[in-house]
PDB file of all heavy atoms in Angstrom:
ATOM      1  N   ILE C   4     110.152 183.407 119.652  1.00  0.00           N
ATOM      2  CA  ILE C   4     109.331 182.428 118.839  1.00  0.00           C
ATOM      3  C   ILE C   4     108.024 182.412 119.339  1.00  0.00           C
ATOM      4  O   ILE C   4     107.682 182.340 120.543  1.00  0.00           O
ATOM      5  CB  ILE C   4     110.017 180.975 118.943  1.00  0.00           C
ATOM      6  CG1 ILE C   4     111.432 181.039 118.327  1.00  0.00           C
ATOM      7  CG2 ILE C   4     109.153 180.024 118.179  1.00  0.00           C
ATOM      8  CD1 ILE C   4     112.068 179.663 118.551  1.00  0.00           C
ATOM      9  N   ARG C   6     104.175 180.532 119.020  1.00  0.00           N
ATOM     10  CA  ARG C   6     103.594 179.210 118.590  1.00  0.00           C
ATOM     11  C   ARG C   6     102.124 179.142 118.614  1.00  0.00           C
ATOM     12  O   ARG C   6     101.499 179.761 119.507  1.00  0.00           O
ATOM     13  CB  ARG C   6     104.221 178.172 119.572  1.00  0.00           C
ATOM     14  CG  ARG C   6     105.760 177.972 119.507  1.00  0.00           C
ATOM     15  CD  ARG C   6     106.211 176.879 120.396  1.00  0.00           C
ATOM     16  NE  ARG C   6     107.511 176.576 120.337  1.00  0.00           N
ATOM     17  CZ  ARG C   6     108.512 177.306 120.947  1.00  0.00           C
ATOM     18  NH1 ARG C   6     108.224 178.286 121.848  1.00  0.00           N
ATOM     19  NH2 ARG C   6     109.851 176.924 120.730  1.00  0.00           N
ATOM     20  N   LEU C  12      95.581 166.369 109.043  1.00  0.00           N
ATOM     21  CA  LEU C  12      94.595 165.274 108.885  1.00  0.00           C
ATOM     22  C   LEU C  12      95.351 164.236 108.075  1.00  0.00           C
ATOM     23  O   LEU C  12      95.969 164.471 107.073  1.00  0.00           O
ATOM     24  CB  LEU C  12      93.305 165.676 108.136  1.00  0.00           C
ATOM     25  CG  LEU C  12      92.446 166.585 109.004  1.00  0.00           C
ATOM     26  CD1 LEU C  12      91.195 166.985 108.195  1.00  0.00           C
ATOM     27  CD2 LEU C  12      91.960 165.885 110.313  1.00  0.00           C
ATOM     28  N   ALA C 141      86.067 179.242 111.336  1.00  0.00           N
ATOM     29  CA  ALA C 141      85.428 180.293 110.531  1.00  0.00           C
ATOM     30  C   ALA C 141      83.957 180.374 111.109  1.00  0.00           C
ATOM     31  O   ALA C 141      83.419 179.274 111.454  1.00  0.00           O
ATOM     32  CB  ALA C 141      85.444 180.049 109.121  1.00  0.00           C
ATOM     33  N   GLY C 223      69.010 137.827  89.813  1.00  0.00           N
ATOM     34  CA  GLY C 223      67.756 137.832  89.192  1.00  0.00           C
ATOM     35  C   GLY C 223      67.813 138.468  87.899  1.00  0.00           C
ATOM     36  O   GLY C 223      68.642 139.341  87.549  1.00  0.00           O
ATOM     37  N   ASP C 245      75.221 158.118 118.622  1.00  0.00           N
ATOM     38  CA  ASP C 245      76.032 159.332 118.621  1.00  0.00           C
ATOM     39  C   ASP C 245      77.499 159.046 118.025  1.00  0.00           C
ATOM     40  O   ASP C 245      78.013 159.749 117.185  1.00  0.00           O
ATOM     41  CB  ASP C 245      76.170 159.850 120.011  1.00  0.00           C
ATOM     42  CG  ASP C 245      74.823 160.455 120.501  1.00  0.00           C
ATOM     43  OD1 ASP C 245      73.992 160.745 119.691  1.00  0.00           O
ATOM     44  OD2 ASP C 245      74.717 160.651 121.825  1.00  0.00           O
ATOM     45  N   SER C 252      79.670 161.389 109.892  1.00  0.00           N
ATOM     46  CA  SER C 252      79.674 162.829 109.415  1.00  0.00           C
ATOM     47  C   SER C 252      81.029 163.328 109.255  1.00  0.00           C
ATOM     48  O   SER C 252      81.357 164.128 108.321  1.00  0.00           O
ATOM     49  CB  SER C 252      79.042 163.689 110.616  1.00  0.00           C
ATOM     50  OG  SER C 252      77.746 163.323 110.759  1.00  0.00           O
ATOM     51  N   GLU C 326      86.247 141.520 106.276  1.00  0.00           N
ATOM     52  CA  GLU C 326      86.636 140.792 107.442  1.00  0.00           C
ATOM     53  C   GLU C 326      87.114 141.710 108.633  1.00  0.00           C
ATOM     54  O   GLU C 326      86.704 141.395 109.764  1.00  0.00           O
ATOM     55  CB  GLU C 326      87.762 139.805 107.122  1.00  0.00           C
ATOM     56  CG  GLU C 326      87.324 138.681 106.217  1.00  0.00           C
ATOM     57  CD  GLU C 326      86.512 137.732 106.827  1.00  0.00           C
ATOM     58  OE1 GLU C 326      86.533 137.442 108.156  1.00  0.00           O
ATOM     59  OE2 GLU C 326      85.699 137.104 106.160  1.00  0.00           O
ATOM     60  N   LEU C 347      77.426 144.894 102.866  1.00  0.00           N
ATOM     61  CA  LEU C 347      77.540 144.718 101.418  1.00  0.00           C
ATOM     62  C   LEU C 347      76.228 144.109 100.834  1.00  0.00           C
ATOM     63  O   LEU C 347      75.773 143.110 101.296  1.00  0.00           O
ATOM     64  CB  LEU C 347      78.727 143.859 101.122  1.00  0.00           C
ATOM     65  CG  LEU C 347      79.015 143.557  99.588  1.00  0.00           C
ATOM     66  CD1 LEU C 347      79.332 144.894  98.847  1.00  0.00           C
ATOM     67  CD2 LEU C 347      80.220 142.608  99.480  1.00  0.00           C
ATOM     68  N   ARG C 376      77.996 130.161  83.728  1.00  0.00           N
ATOM     69  CA  ARG C 376      78.885 129.839  84.820  1.00  0.00           C
ATOM     70  C   ARG C 376      80.129 130.859  84.845  1.00  0.00           C
ATOM     71  O   ARG C 376      80.468 131.460  85.903  1.00  0.00           O
ATOM     72  CB  ARG C 376      79.504 128.479  84.692  1.00  0.00           C
ATOM     73  CG  ARG C 376      80.495 128.111  85.815  1.00  0.00           C
ATOM     74  CD  ARG C 376      80.812 126.567  85.802  1.00  0.00           C
ATOM     75  NE  ARG C 376      81.742 126.303  86.842  1.00  0.00           N
ATOM     76  CZ  ARG C 376      81.433 126.132  88.182  1.00  0.00           C
ATOM     77  NH1 ARG C 376      80.184 126.254  88.546  1.00  0.00           N
ATOM     78  NH2 ARG C 376      82.366 125.806  89.015  1.00  0.00           N
ATOM     79  N   ARG C 381      82.576 135.673  87.909  1.00  0.00           N
ATOM     80  CA  ARG C 381      83.248 136.991  88.017  1.00  0.00           C
ATOM     81  C   ARG C 381      83.152 137.459  89.410  1.00  0.00           C
ATOM     82  O   ARG C 381      84.010 138.302  89.885  1.00  0.00           O
ATOM     83  CB  ARG C 381      82.641 138.014  87.001  1.00  0.00           C
ATOM     84  CG  ARG C 381      82.938 137.635  85.525  1.00  0.00           C
ATOM     85  CD  ARG C 381      82.209 138.668  84.621  1.00  0.00           C
ATOM     86  NE  ARG C 381      82.585 140.108  84.779  1.00  0.00           N
ATOM     87  CZ  ARG C 381      83.770 140.647  84.232  1.00  0.00           C
ATOM     88  NH1 ARG C 381      84.453 139.893  83.430  1.00  0.00           N
ATOM     89  NH2 ARG C 381      84.034 141.946  84.528  1.00  0.00           N
TER      90      ARG C 381
END
Side-chain angles (χ1 to χ4, degrees):
I4 298 176
R6 294 182 176 88
L12 293 179
D245 290 345
S252 298
E326 292 292 330
L347 179 65
R376 180 170 177 80
R381 289 175 63 86

